[in-house]
Amino acid sequence: MNKYFISANWKMNGSKEFTRTFFASMNEDIDEDVKIIICPADCYLNTVDAMAPKNVIRGAQNISFNTDGAYTGEVSASMLKDLNVEYVIIGHSERRDYHVETNEIIRKKFNTAVSANLKPILCVGESLDQRQKEETFNHIENQILSVINKEILSNHPFLIAYEPIWAIGTGETATPEIANEVHSFIHGTLDKIDSIQSKKIAIIYGGSVNSNNAYDLFKMSHINGALIGGSSLDANEFNKIYKIAKEINNE
Ligand code: PEP
């Protein structure tokens, strides 16, 4: 298993010019050991393909759980596969909140993705209120068990992103200890499904990751990289975070 995945969630940001400038300033060699996954808006997936250096992997930010048909505005898993997209973010908290995506909808999207051989990045995470009420572990276990089962764990590659909602876009990162505690809990939850297959699942952290906090986060035993929103829009910052992961990987 790769130890680190550094993923960019550009959300509804970017343009052709942004994409060109972003990759023009990507000065690190992208290697196979520390993966880079860029998730632009769907309309820029081909632009990323044309402009990104070798070994940059592409992901989408969402899919429909329907396979095809009269669903205006939706994009299917097979369409993404047709563009050679490898990953898709499923269950980001912004989709759960603003688009009312329930665990049931997320389960359907996850299954649609793996049926089309797309690799999901399943996002889970608690709100501040849930953390304060000590509901974090129950909530996350529920989010995972409503999607992941033994068949999925055995047969389909995927990533999990732990993204505490209170840390997304707020500048407030979970401490490395808090994040690692939840990552360890997630590994334990997967272990209970299948303790051999669970070893191959990487868990990345998301929530105000930047070049100042990345080192301490990536050093933690259960943290396998990051899903990065705000800092992924700054090529210099994103490069620095990638470099940190590479340095730790080579230690
Ligand atoms: C995200 O939205 O996935 C995210 C982690 O955003 P940010 O890095 O801006 O907190």
Side-chain angles (χ1 to χ4, degrees):
M1 171 184 118
N2 286 85
K3 170 81 169 104
Y4 293 113
F5 294 79
I6 305 301
S7 319
N9 176 10
W10 284 353
K11 311 193 186 191
M12 202 172 71
N13 296 295
S15 62
K16 281 194 284 186
E17 183 50 25
F18 166 83
T19 309
R20 195 193 59 72
T21 320
F22 184 90
F23 290 117
S25 54
M26 188 160 267
N27 46 25
E28 276 294 309
D29 282 341
I30 319 299
D31 56 39
E32 298 273 5
D33 295 341
V34 178
K35 305 266 190 202
I36 286 195
I37 306 170
I38 303 285
C39 305
D42 287 353
C43 53
Y44 295 119
L45 280 163
N46 275 349
T47 315
V48 170
D49 192 34
M51 293 177 179
K54 194 167 152 269
N55 291 336
V56 166
I57 301 166
R58 289 168 305 146
Q61 299 173 14
N62 179 38
I63 47 165
S64 168
F65 58 71
N66 293 296
T67 49
D68 57 14
Y71 301 102
T72 303
E74 294 281 73
V75 171
S76 73
S78 62
M79 288 168 182
L80 296 174
K81 231 14 223 182
D82 199 27
L83 302 181
N84 294 319
V85 172
E86 195 169 326
Y87 283 87
V88 59
I89 298 173
I90 307 262
H92 192 280
S93 61
E94 287 155 15
R95 299 235 31 117
R96 291 180 190 260
D97 284 356
Y98 309 153
H99 301 273
V100 203
E101 290 192 2
T102 60
N103 281 336
E104 175 56 12
I105 291 174
I106 287 155
R107 185 185 66 76
K108 285 195 206 170
K109 290 191 174 198
F110 192 104
N111 288 339
T112 306
V114 297
S115 303
N117 288 326
L118 281 173
K119 298 174 187 163
I121 303 174
L122 174 66
C123 297
V124 297
E126 79 288 3
S127 65
L128 186 57
D129 186 49
Q130 286 166 324
R131 175 156 283 273
Q132 284 165 345
K133 289 183 180 150
E134 299 188 356
E135 293 169 358
T136 299
F137 294 123
N138 269 348
H139 177 69
I140 285 172
E141 186 177 53
N142 207 7
Q143 287 182 318
I144 289 176
L145 296 183
S146 56
V147 176
I148 310 298
N149 57 35
K150 202 170 166 65
E151 190 278 322
I152 285 173
L153 200 49
S154 308
N155 298 318
H156 301 288
F158 63 92
L159 300 176
I160 292 184
Y162 168 54
E163 299 210 304
I165 298 169
W166 47 271
I168 295 181
T170 58
E172 189 173 336
T173 325
T175 63
E177 292 73 23
I178 288 180
N180 200 49
E181 185 186 30
V182 179
H183 283 228
S184 163
F185 174 79
I186 294 171
H187 270 136
T189 305
L190 297 176
D191 275 350
K192 281 191 234 158
I193 302 173
D194 186 324
S195 61
I196 295 171
Q197 299 297 332
S198 63
K199 304 282 179 291
K200 64 184 191 201
I201 303 302
I203 306 175
I204 59 180
Y205 169 78
S208 298
V209 174
N210 58 42
S211 61
N212 292 322
N213 56 34
Y215 182 86
D216 291 338
L217 286 162
F218 297 168
K219 284 295 274 185
M220 302 309 283
S221 54
H222 289 273
I223 298 185
N224 305 120
L227 181 55
I228 307 163
S231 298
S232 75
L233 295 172
D234 178 337
N236 189 33
E237 187 66 3
F238 189 72
N239 267 312
K240 280 192 199 162
I241 298 170
Y242 181 66
K243 205 170 167 191
I244 290 167
K246 266 178 73 163
E247 274 168 14
I248 300 176
N249 196 51
N250 292 335
E251 275 173 8

